[in-house]
Amino acid sequence: MSLDRLTFQGLRNLQPLDIRPCDGVNLIIGDNGSGKTSLLEGIHILGLGRSFRTQQLKHAIKHDEDALVLHGRLEGDPPLPVGIRRERSVSESTIRLAGAPVTRIAQLAETLPLQLINPDTFRLLEGSPAFRREFFDWGVFHVKHEFFDIWRRVRRALKHRNALLRHAKMDRQALAVWDRELAHYGVQLDILRHDYMKSFLPIFEETLDELLPLDGVELTLRYFRGWDHKRSYSEVLHNSHESDRQMGFTQQGPQRADLRIHIDRRPAKEVLSRGQQKLVVSALKLAQGRLLEAVTGRRCIYLIDDLPAELDRHHRHVFCKWLEKMQCQVFITSVEYESLLGLWQKATSITMFHVKHGQLTVQA
Ligand SMILES: Nc1ncnc2c1ncn2[C@@H]1O[C@H](COP(=O)(O)OP(=O)(O)O)[C@@H](O)[C@H]1O
Ligand SMILES: [Mg+2]
């Protein structure tokens, strides 16, 4: 799966562009502030309907312009066009896929599975559990088609239950109804996540083993489902009525699930160097792409902002070798070309773009 054409208008500092990325490695080289990250941001918006830099898409619209218009074409027979338009004066974006309007963002995500590796990716180690839940739920969403519906039902049940808990006079009958609903779908969600992690772990370990052999120490990844492992979820919910009520929300459940990453029982973020952390979080992202392909035959597109940063030459090389092996389309930014030189095999197709003051040119 790859994008063979991109046309962007009105995005950040970028001049209107119309480029033909290759299906292998696309290098985007330019000085600070030239527009490299903006290009990745544009692809991300196409794939997810939202930016990784701002909650409000209107901030990505170029100053002094009224709208941003992004188009991409997924290669295939026939090719699949995807487009998104966001006007400054309208709060919703218009999204089209293969000429038809898109009403569910999930539809976009299904079509264009993206993996982003940028400084925010470190949050997988140092951020709150929400980042790790978003991470594994991405995987569950892509490989288990039931996920989306179950996840929505869990959210709905939680919303209703929490509203009842906050009510001055708690309606016990209604609470029992939402307890049942939440227990039912909460357990289903846990089963999906648990199964996913079981397939994910060996692939992650294999990926990490090449990227960062950890001699003599053990890195463990443990999935925590969000409630006491010795008790059933319905029992937990039933027994926590009073304390949940005092807190005003449901304290245990799949909304608290996490992935615990340790090295010899210490949190990985406390033990690893910055470069090592980058390799661990990259291994997590690469492993997700590998698992997606193994299960569905579909390949992710990788967006990697500043690949060379924090990595020595040897580790850059192993990282690039993994990307080559996976035969995914990748977009890699870097301040200088030299730090990416000689990292690829001859057979790999490479296209290089230079960005200067928002102007993109392709290197012949
Ligand atoms: N909405 C906007 N309109 C115009 N320029 C913007 C907007 N938002 C950010 N910029 C500018 O775009 C430039 C490029 O940013 P960025 O893509 O992050 O550069 P790079 O990744 O190459 O360092 C920055 O100089 C920034 O000030
Ligand atoms: Mg940048």
Side-chain angles (χ1 to χ4, degrees):
M1 171 151 317
S2 62
L3 288 159
D4 63 4
R5 186 165 181 190
L6 292 170
T7 50
F8 292 175
Q9 256 178 52
L11 174 65
R12 301 272 182 197
N13 74 326
L14 291 177
Q15 300 294 323
L17 62 86
D18 184 353
I19 57 168
R20 316 256 168 167
C22 71
D23 63 1
V25 180
N26 295 278
L27 302 178
I28 300 129
I29 312 292
D31 292 341
N32 294 331
S34 57
K36 304 179 297 295
T37 304
S38 303
L39 186 86
L40 300 189
E41 185 183 18
I43 303 171
H44 190 274
I45 296 170
L46 270 180
L48 289 149
R50 62 179 166 82
S51 163
F52 56 79
R53 287 214 274 198
T54 170
Q55 302 273 4
Q56 287 182 299
L57 208 46
K58 70 168 183 226
H59 294 308
I61 303 174
K62 190 179 194 128
H63 304 318
D64 309 324
E65 292 211 11
D66 298 327
L68 86 85
V69 186
L70 312 174
H71 284 285
R73 189 176 65 187
L74 276 164
E75 51 97 41
D77 191 16
L80 188 69
V82 45
I84 181 159
R85 181 186 177 88
R86 174 64 203 266
E87 312 252 349
R88 199 179 285 282
S89 55
V90 184
S91 61
E92 296 267 299
S93 309
T94 328
I95 307 173
R96 293 180 82 81
L97 191 63
V102 168
T103 45
R104 284 171 48 236
I105 292 290
Q107 224 178 315
L108 262 193
E110 276 160 20
T111 313
L112 206 69
L114 294 179
Q115 286 285 355
L116 171 72
I117 300 176
N118 74 348
D120 289 345
T121 313
F122 284 98
R123 291 190 193 149
L124 284 176
L125 293 181
E126 53 191 29
S128 71
F131 293 104
R132 289 178 289 278
R133 277 197 298 279
E134 194 189 325
F135 169 78
F136 56 69
D137 280 347
W138 180 97
V140 191
F141 167 78
H142 279 283
V143 305
K144 311 256 185 194
H145 62 94
E146 326 80 292
F147 169 80
F148 196 59
D149 183 51
I150 294 175
W151 179 82
R152 273 206 325 224
R153 286 173 189 272
V154 165
R155 281 230 320 208
R156 179 163 156 263
L158 268 171
K159 208 175 107 199
H160 283 282
R161 189 177 190 271
N162 288 343
L164 288 169
L165 290 169
R166 283 189 208 116
H167 214 275
K169 200 166 166 293
M170 194 164 72
D171 179 344
R172 292 204 176 265
Q173 242 174 355
L175 193 67
V177 171
W178 289 112
D179 273 6
R180 228 176 299 132
E181 177 91 358
L182 182 56
H184 180 74
Y185 288 105
V187 167
Q188 289 202 20
L189 184 55
D190 169 51
I191 292 171
L192 292 184
R193 284 169 167 172
H194 188 267
D195 283 355
Y196 178 78
M197 288 313 299
K198 220 163 106 185
S199 329
F200 177 79
L201 261 178
I203 298 182
F204 167 71
E205 278 165 7
E206 190 189 47
T207 314
L208 186 70
D209 213 37
E210 276 182 40
L211 268 182
L212 180 69
L214 290 161
D215 291 329
V217 292
E218 198 186 1
L219 185 140
T220 52
L221 211 69
R222 222 156 32 84
Y223 164 68
F224 166 64
R225 65 182 180 175
W227 67 89
D228 187 342
H229 70 281
K230 291 196 204 84
R231 292 192 295 161
S232 74
Y233 191 30
S234 53
E235 188 189 340
V236 165
L237 286 174
H238 186 76
N239 291 344
S240 55
H241 282 173
E242 283 321 309
S243 72
D244 279 358
R245 196 172 171 192
Q246 272 169 20
M247 298 300 286
F249 63 91
T250 307
Q251 297 170 84
Q252 296 194 61
Q255 76 283 9
R256 302 292 295 271
D258 197 1
L259 200 58
R260 295 181 173 162
I261 308 173
H262 283 85
I263 290 196
D264 286 346
R265 291 202 217 142
R266 291 194 191 90
K269 65 167 186 215
E270 308 294 346
V271 183
L272 298 174
S273 76
R274 198 75 181 152
Q276 290 175 317
Q277 288 184 33
K278 178 158 174 172
L279 292 165
V280 171
V281 297
S282 300
L284 288 167
K285 297 266 178 156
L286 293 172
Q288 273 205 322
R290 292 181 61 205
L291 180 56
L292 179 77
E293 207 214 332
V295 179
T296 68
R298 300 164 71 220
R299 292 187 184 141
C300 298
I301 296 174
Y302 277 85
L303 309 176
I304 308 177
D305 209 5
D306 206 351
L307 183 139
E310 273 136 346
L311 299 182
D312 58 43
R313 194 157 181 84
H314 165 72
H315 286 104
R316 279 174 208 170
H317 200 179
V318 231
F319 195 155
C320 293
K321 254 173 55 188
W322 260 124
L323 290 168
E324 271 175 329
K325 211 184 315 188
M326 291 165 65
Q327 299 190 335
C328 290
Q329 185 180 38
V330 283
F331 292 83
I332 293 174
T333 74
S334 174
V335 178
E336 3 147 90
Y337 166 61
E338 289 72 27
S339 47
L340 292 168
L341 211 68
L343 297 179
W344 314 95
Q345 289 174 17
K346 277 216 167 60
T348 302
S349 53
I350 300 179
T351 302
M352 185 151 62
F353 299 93
H354 281 276
V355 209
K356 203 170 177 182
H357 306 308
Q359 182 81 48
L360 219 74
T361 48
V362 57
Q363 176 101 350

